[in-house]
Amino acid sequence: MITEKAAFLREGMFDLLKDFSEEHNKKWGKLNAQQMLEHVRDFFMVSTGDLSFDLVTPEEQLPKYREFLLSDKEFRENTKAPASVLGEEPLPLRFNNLEAASQALKESVERFFKYFEEQPGITTMHPVFGNLNSDDWILLHYKHVRHHFRQFGLLKEG
């Protein structure tokens, strides 16, 4: 199962992005197409420690979050990161266009896999889910990418 999800992150999601454009209508949320790609890229940067945040979830609630992580449940529409982590509004665009944002996302995904291959057993902090290892991050990235791809109609609901 992890292997299939890793393959989706390495290749499958980029196959779905081949025809992605600013014209894709979002179904919910504030992010536009490019902001979504940049947001997903940032999430990969958190997993490699290139971006870091303190834990905002109380320790006693982490088992409940882990249960969700290990389940087949998807993030619901309009699920938001805590405002204390990302703020209320989308970040300003940092890349010149959608293509550049997509390329930066691809590079961050490649860095993610290399990072954990070179450092087996390492964990990095997610501000909501706590310390995660490679397999945990693959599960979380898979859920997160699917959430945003459903947001823009790149994947069917469910």
Side-chain angles (χ1 to χ4, degrees):
M1 179 166 66
I2 289 289
T3 305
E4 292 169 12
K5 291 177 179 174
F8 174 78
L9 296 172
R10 284 184 193 260
E11 298 168 15
M13 75 171 172
F14 295 102
D15 291 341
L16 294 172
L17 288 174
K18 285 183 179 163
D19 297 321
F20 190 52
S21 70
E22 289 290 349
E23 285 70 49
H24 265 80
N25 290 324
K26 66 182 172 208
K27 297 179 177 188
W28 72 82
K30 295 181 179 182
L31 299 175
N32 65 34
Q34 185 172 332
Q35 286 169 327
M36 182 272 284
L37 292 181
E38 292 185 16
H39 167 74
V40 172
R41 173 190 173 258
D42 290 349
F43 199 71
F44 275 92
M45 292 177 67
V46 170
S47 62
T48 57
D50 293 318
L51 280 176
S52 61
F53 297 93
D54 292 331
L55 182 66
V56 298
T57 303
E59 292 276 340
E60 66 274 7
Q61 291 181 14
L62 287 176
K64 178 179 74 169
Y65 283 90
R66 181 153 188 83
E67 184 179 319
F68 169 78
L69 176 64
L70 297 175
S71 77
D72 289 332
K73 293 178 183 174
E74 304 264 9
F75 286 110
R76 291 183 294 228
E77 290 183 13
N78 285 307
T79 299
K80 296 177 184 173
S84 62
V85 175
L86 292 183
E88 292 290 338
E89 296 300 320
L91 295 172
L93 294 175
R94 286 157 285 148
F95 293 93
N96 291 334
N97 54 44
L98 193 69
E99 184 178 326
S102 182
Q103 181 59 38
L105 171 59
K106 187 162 188 60
E107 290 168 6
S108 70
V109 170
E110 290 168 1
R111 172 151 165 63
F112 164 76
F113 282 103
K114 183 178 180 184
Y115 179 86
F116 283 96
E117 286 165 5
E118 290 177 350
Q119 301 178 79
I122 194 168
T123 62
T124 54
M125 175 63 68
H126 183 276
V128 174
F129 290 88
N131 280 311
L132 303 177
N133 65 27
S134 174
D135 286 353
D136 296 336
W137 274 111
I138 289 170
L139 293 172
L140 189 53
H141 282 306
Y142 181 80
K143 285 179 187 277
H144 187 240
V145 168
R146 287 183 51 83
H147 169 73
H148 286 293
F149 279 31
R150 288 191 329 273
Q151 178 185 18
F152 283 87
L154 295 168
L155 286 172
K156 293 180 182 170
E157 293 294 320

Short mmCIF file of all heavy atoms in Angstrom, two decimals, residues 26-60:
data_model
loop_
_atom_site.label_atom_id
_atom_site.label_comp_id
_atom_site.label_asym_id
_atom_site.label_seq_id
_atom_site.Cartn_x
_atom_site.Cartn_y
_atom_site.Cartn_z
N LYS A 26 -12.13 25.59 -9.02
CA LYS A 26 -12.05 24.93 -7.72
C LYS A 26 -13.46 24.72 -7.20
O LYS A 26 -14.38 25.46 -7.51
CB LYS A 26 -11.20 25.73 -6.75
CG LYS A 26 -11.80 27.06 -6.37
CD LYS A 26 -10.87 27.80 -5.43
CE LYS A 26 -11.40 29.20 -5.25
NZ LYS A 26 -10.39 30.15 -4.95
N LYS A 27 -13.60 23.68 -6.39
CA LYS A 27 -14.90 23.34 -5.82
C LYS A 27 -15.10 23.98 -4.45
O LYS A 27 -16.22 24.12 -4.00
CB LYS A 27 -15.04 21.83 -5.72
CG LYS A 27 -15.00 21.14 -7.07
CD LYS A 27 -15.13 19.65 -6.93
CE LYS A 27 -15.14 19.01 -8.30
NZ LYS A 27 -15.45 17.59 -8.22
N TRP A 28 -14.01 24.29 -3.77
CA TRP A 28 -14.09 24.92 -2.44
C TRP A 28 -12.76 25.59 -2.14
O TRP A 28 -11.77 25.39 -2.84
CB TRP A 28 -14.44 23.90 -1.35
CG TRP A 28 -13.34 22.94 -1.02
CD1 TRP A 28 -12.28 23.17 -0.19
CD2 TRP A 28 -13.14 21.61 -1.54
NE1 TRP A 28 -11.46 22.05 -0.15
CE2 TRP A 28 -11.97 21.09 -0.96
CE3 TRP A 28 -13.86 20.81 -2.41
CZ2 TRP A 28 -11.49 19.82 -1.24
CZ3 TRP A 28 -13.39 19.53 -2.69
CH2 TRP A 28 -12.22 19.05 -2.11
N GLY A 29 -12.73 26.37 -1.09
CA GLY A 29 -11.50 26.95 -0.57
C GLY A 29 -11.10 28.26 -1.22
O GLY A 29 -11.74 28.73 -2.15
N LYS A 30 -10.02 28.82 -0.70
CA LYS A 30 -9.52 30.12 -1.13
C LYS A 30 -8.38 30.04 -2.14
O LYS A 30 -8.09 31.02 -2.82
CB LYS A 30 -9.05 30.92 0.09
CG LYS A 30 -10.15 31.28 1.05
CD LYS A 30 -9.59 32.09 2.22
CE LYS A 30 -10.69 32.48 3.19
NZ LYS A 30 -10.16 33.30 4.30
N LEU A 31 -7.68 28.91 -2.18
CA LEU A 31 -6.50 28.81 -3.03
C LEU A 31 -6.87 28.82 -4.51
O LEU A 31 -7.82 28.15 -4.93
CB LEU A 31 -5.75 27.50 -2.74
CG LEU A 31 -5.21 27.29 -1.33
CD1 LEU A 31 -4.61 25.89 -1.21
CD2 LEU A 31 -4.18 28.34 -0.98
N ASN A 32 -6.07 29.54 -5.31
CA ASN A 32 -6.21 29.38 -6.75
C ASN A 32 -5.28 28.24 -7.18
O ASN A 32 -4.58 27.65 -6.34
CB ASN A 32 -5.93 30.70 -7.50
CG ASN A 32 -4.50 31.18 -7.37
OD1 ASN A 32 -3.54 30.40 -7.31
ND2 ASN A 32 -4.33 32.50 -7.33
N ALA A 33 -5.25 27.93 -8.46
CA ALA A 33 -4.50 26.76 -8.94
C ALA A 33 -3.01 26.84 -8.57
O ALA A 33 -2.44 25.87 -8.06
CB ALA A 33 -4.67 26.62 -10.45
N GLN A 34 -2.39 27.97 -8.82
CA GLN A 34 -0.97 28.09 -8.52
C GLN A 34 -0.71 28.09 -7.01
O GLN A 34 0.25 27.46 -6.54
CB GLN A 34 -0.37 29.35 -9.15
CG GLN A 34 1.14 29.43 -8.96
CD GLN A 34 1.79 30.55 -9.73
OE1 GLN A 34 1.29 30.96 -10.78
NE2 GLN A 34 2.89 31.07 -9.22
N GLN A 35 -1.56 28.75 -6.26
CA GLN A 35 -1.40 28.74 -4.80
C GLN A 35 -1.50 27.32 -4.26
O GLN A 35 -0.78 26.95 -3.33
CB GLN A 35 -2.46 29.62 -4.14
CG GLN A 35 -2.22 31.10 -4.32
CD GLN A 35 -3.41 31.93 -3.90
OE1 GLN A 35 -4.56 31.52 -4.04
NE2 GLN A 35 -3.13 33.13 -3.38
N MET A 36 -2.37 26.51 -4.85
CA MET A 36 -2.51 25.13 -4.40
C MET A 36 -1.21 24.36 -4.63
O MET A 36 -0.72 23.66 -3.74
CB MET A 36 -3.67 24.44 -5.13
CG MET A 36 -3.91 23.00 -4.70
SD MET A 36 -2.95 21.74 -5.58
CE MET A 36 -3.84 21.67 -7.13
N LEU A 37 -0.61 24.51 -5.81
CA LEU A 37 0.65 23.81 -6.08
C LEU A 37 1.75 24.28 -5.14
O LEU A 37 2.53 23.47 -4.63
CB LEU A 37 1.08 24.01 -7.53
CG LEU A 37 0.20 23.35 -8.59
CD1 LEU A 37 0.78 23.63 -9.98
CD2 LEU A 37 0.04 21.87 -8.35
N GLU A 38 1.82 25.58 -4.89
CA GLU A 38 2.84 26.10 -4.00
C GLU A 38 2.60 25.62 -2.56
O GLU A 38 3.55 25.31 -1.84
CB GLU A 38 2.88 27.63 -4.08
CG GLU A 38 3.39 28.11 -5.43
CD GLU A 38 3.57 29.62 -5.52
OE1 GLU A 38 3.59 30.30 -4.48
OE2 GLU A 38 3.72 30.11 -6.66
N HIS A 39 1.34 25.55 -2.17
CA HIS A 39 0.99 25.05 -0.83
C HIS A 39 1.42 23.59 -0.67
O HIS A 39 2.02 23.22 0.33
CB HIS A 39 -0.52 25.21 -0.62
CG HIS A 39 -1.07 24.47 0.54
ND1 HIS A 39 -0.86 24.87 1.84
CD2 HIS A 39 -1.82 23.34 0.59
CE1 HIS A 39 -1.47 24.02 2.65
NE2 HIS A 39 -2.05 23.09 1.92
N VAL A 40 1.12 22.77 -1.67
CA VAL A 40 1.52 21.36 -1.61
C VAL A 40 3.04 21.24 -1.58
O VAL A 40 3.60 20.44 -0.83
CB VAL A 40 0.88 20.56 -2.77
CG1 VAL A 40 1.44 19.14 -2.83
CG2 VAL A 40 -0.64 20.53 -2.62
N ARG A 41 3.72 22.07 -2.34
CA ARG A 41 5.19 22.08 -2.32
C ARG A 41 5.70 22.41 -0.92
O ARG A 41 6.60 21.75 -0.41
CB ARG A 41 5.71 23.12 -3.31
CG ARG A 41 7.22 23.31 -3.21
CD ARG A 41 7.67 24.52 -4.03
NE ARG A 41 9.06 24.79 -3.81
CZ ARG A 41 9.53 25.76 -3.02
NH1 ARG A 41 8.72 26.56 -2.37
NH2 ARG A 41 10.82 25.95 -2.90
N ASP A 42 5.10 23.42 -0.31
CA ASP A 42 5.53 23.80 1.04
C ASP A 42 5.37 22.64 2.01
O ASP A 42 6.20 22.43 2.89
CB ASP A 42 4.72 25.00 1.54
CG ASP A 42 5.06 26.28 0.82
OD1 ASP A 42 6.07 26.33 0.08
OD2 ASP A 42 4.30 27.27 0.99
N PHE A 43 4.30 21.88 1.85
CA PHE A 43 4.03 20.74 2.71
C PHE A 43 5.14 19.70 2.58
O PHE A 43 5.58 19.11 3.58
CB PHE A 43 2.67 20.16 2.31
CG PHE A 43 2.03 19.29 3.33
CD1 PHE A 43 1.51 19.82 4.49
CD2 PHE A 43 1.92 17.93 3.11
CE1 PHE A 43 0.89 19.01 5.43
CE2 PHE A 43 1.30 17.12 4.03
CZ PHE A 43 0.79 17.65 5.19
N PHE A 44 5.63 19.48 1.36
CA PHE A 44 6.77 18.56 1.17
C PHE A 44 8.02 19.14 1.83
O PHE A 44 8.83 18.41 2.38
CB PHE A 44 7.01 18.27 -0.32
CG PHE A 44 6.15 17.16 -0.84
CD1 PHE A 44 4.93 17.43 -1.42
CD2 PHE A 44 6.55 15.84 -0.74
CE1 PHE A 44 4.12 16.40 -1.90
CE2 PHE A 44 5.76 14.80 -1.21
CZ PHE A 44 4.54 15.09 -1.79
N MET A 45 8.16 20.46 1.80
CA MET A 45 9.32 21.09 2.44
C MET A 45 9.27 20.94 3.95
O MET A 45 10.31 20.85 4.59
CB MET A 45 9.41 22.56 2.02
CG MET A 45 9.74 22.72 0.55
SD MET A 45 9.77 24.45 0.04
CE MET A 45 11.21 25.03 0.95
N VAL A 46 8.08 20.88 4.52
CA VAL A 46 7.96 20.63 5.95
C VAL A 46 8.47 19.22 6.26
O VAL A 46 9.17 19.00 7.24
CB VAL A 46 6.50 20.82 6.43
CG1 VAL A 46 6.32 20.33 7.87
CG2 VAL A 46 6.08 22.28 6.32
N SER A 47 8.13 18.27 5.39
CA SER A 47 8.52 16.88 5.67
C SER A 47 10.02 16.67 5.62
O SER A 47 10.53 15.75 6.25
CB SER A 47 7.81 15.92 4.71
OG SER A 47 8.16 16.15 3.37
N THR A 48 10.75 17.51 4.89
CA THR A 48 12.20 17.38 4.83
C THR A 48 12.91 18.32 5.80
O THR A 48 14.13 18.39 5.81
CB THR A 48 12.72 17.64 3.40
OG1 THR A 48 12.29 18.95 3.00
CG2 THR A 48 12.22 16.58 2.43
N GLY A 49 12.14 19.07 6.57
CA GLY A 49 12.73 20.00 7.52
C GLY A 49 13.18 21.32 6.91
O GLY A 49 13.78 22.14 7.59
N ASP A 50 12.91 21.52 5.62
CA ASP A 50 13.28 22.78 4.97
C ASP A 50 12.39 23.93 5.44
O ASP A 50 12.77 25.08 5.35
CB ASP A 50 13.24 22.64 3.45
CG ASP A 50 14.31 21.69 2.95
OD1 ASP A 50 15.45 21.75 3.45
OD2 ASP A 50 14.02 20.87 2.06
N LEU A 51 11.20 23.60 5.87
CA LEU A 51 10.30 24.52 6.55
C LEU A 51 9.96 23.86 7.87
O LEU A 51 9.71 22.66 7.91
CB LEU A 51 9.00 24.73 5.77
CG LEU A 51 8.99 25.67 4.59
CD1 LEU A 51 7.62 25.63 3.90
CD2 LEU A 51 9.31 27.09 5.01
N SER A 52 9.93 24.62 8.94
CA SER A 52 9.61 23.98 10.21
C SER A 52 8.60 24.80 11.00
O SER A 52 8.59 26.04 10.92
CB SER A 52 10.87 23.72 11.03
OG SER A 52 11.51 24.94 11.32
N PHE A 53 7.80 24.09 11.74
CA PHE A 53 6.79 24.67 12.61
C PHE A 53 6.80 23.91 13.92
O PHE A 53 7.11 22.72 13.95
CB PHE A 53 5.38 24.52 11.99
CG PHE A 53 5.21 25.25 10.68
CD1 PHE A 53 5.44 24.60 9.47
CD2 PHE A 53 4.83 26.57 10.66
CE1 PHE A 53 5.28 25.26 8.27
CE2 PHE A 53 4.67 27.24 9.45
CZ PHE A 53 4.89 26.59 8.25
N ASP A 54 6.44 24.58 14.97
CA ASP A 54 6.29 23.92 16.26
C ASP A 54 5.01 23.10 16.26
O ASP A 54 4.05 23.41 15.54
CB ASP A 54 6.23 24.95 17.39
CG ASP A 54 7.55 25.68 17.58
OD1 ASP A 54 8.61 25.09 17.29
OD2 ASP A 54 7.51 26.84 18.03
N LEU A 55 4.97 22.10 17.10
CA LEU A 55 3.77 21.28 17.28
C LEU A 55 2.67 22.13 17.91
O LEU A 55 2.90 22.80 18.91
CB LEU A 55 4.10 20.08 18.17
CG LEU A 55 2.96 19.10 18.43
CD1 LEU A 55 2.55 18.39 17.14
CD2 LEU A 55 3.38 18.08 19.48
N VAL A 56 1.48 22.12 17.30
CA VAL A 56 0.35 22.88 17.85
C VAL A 56 -0.71 21.98 18.46
O VAL A 56 -1.60 22.45 19.15
CB VAL A 56 -0.30 23.80 16.78
CG1 VAL A 56 0.71 24.83 16.27
CG2 VAL A 56 -0.88 22.99 15.63
N THR A 57 -0.61 20.68 18.22
CA THR A 57 -1.57 19.73 18.77
C THR A 57 -1.13 19.32 20.17
O THR A 57 0.03 18.95 20.37
CB THR A 57 -1.63 18.46 17.88
OG1 THR A 57 -1.98 18.86 16.55
CG2 THR A 57 -2.64 17.46 18.40
N PRO A 58 -2.03 19.37 21.13
CA PRO A 58 -1.67 18.87 22.46
C PRO A 58 -1.26 17.39 22.38
O PRO A 58 -1.88 16.61 21.66
CB PRO A 58 -2.95 19.05 23.27
CG PRO A 58 -3.73 20.11 22.54
CD PRO A 58 -3.38 19.92 21.09
N GLU A 59 -0.21 17.04 23.11
CA GLU A 59 0.34 15.68 23.08
C GLU A 59 -0.73 14.60 23.26
O GLU A 59 -0.70 13.58 22.59
CB GLU A 59 1.42 15.52 24.15
CG GLU A 59 2.67 16.32 23.90
CD GLU A 59 3.66 15.65 22.98
OE1 GLU A 59 3.59 14.41 22.79
OE2 GLU A 59 4.51 16.36 22.43
N GLU A 60 -1.68 14.84 24.16
CA GLU A 60 -2.69 13.82 24.45
C GLU A 60 -3.64 13.59 23.28
O GLU A 60 -4.34 12.57 23.22
CB GLU A 60 -3.48 14.16 25.73
CG GLU A 60 -4.34 15.40 25.65
CD GLU A 60 -3.61 16.70 26.00
OE1 GLU A 60 -2.37 16.68 26.19
OE2 GLU A 60 -4.29 17.73 26.07
#
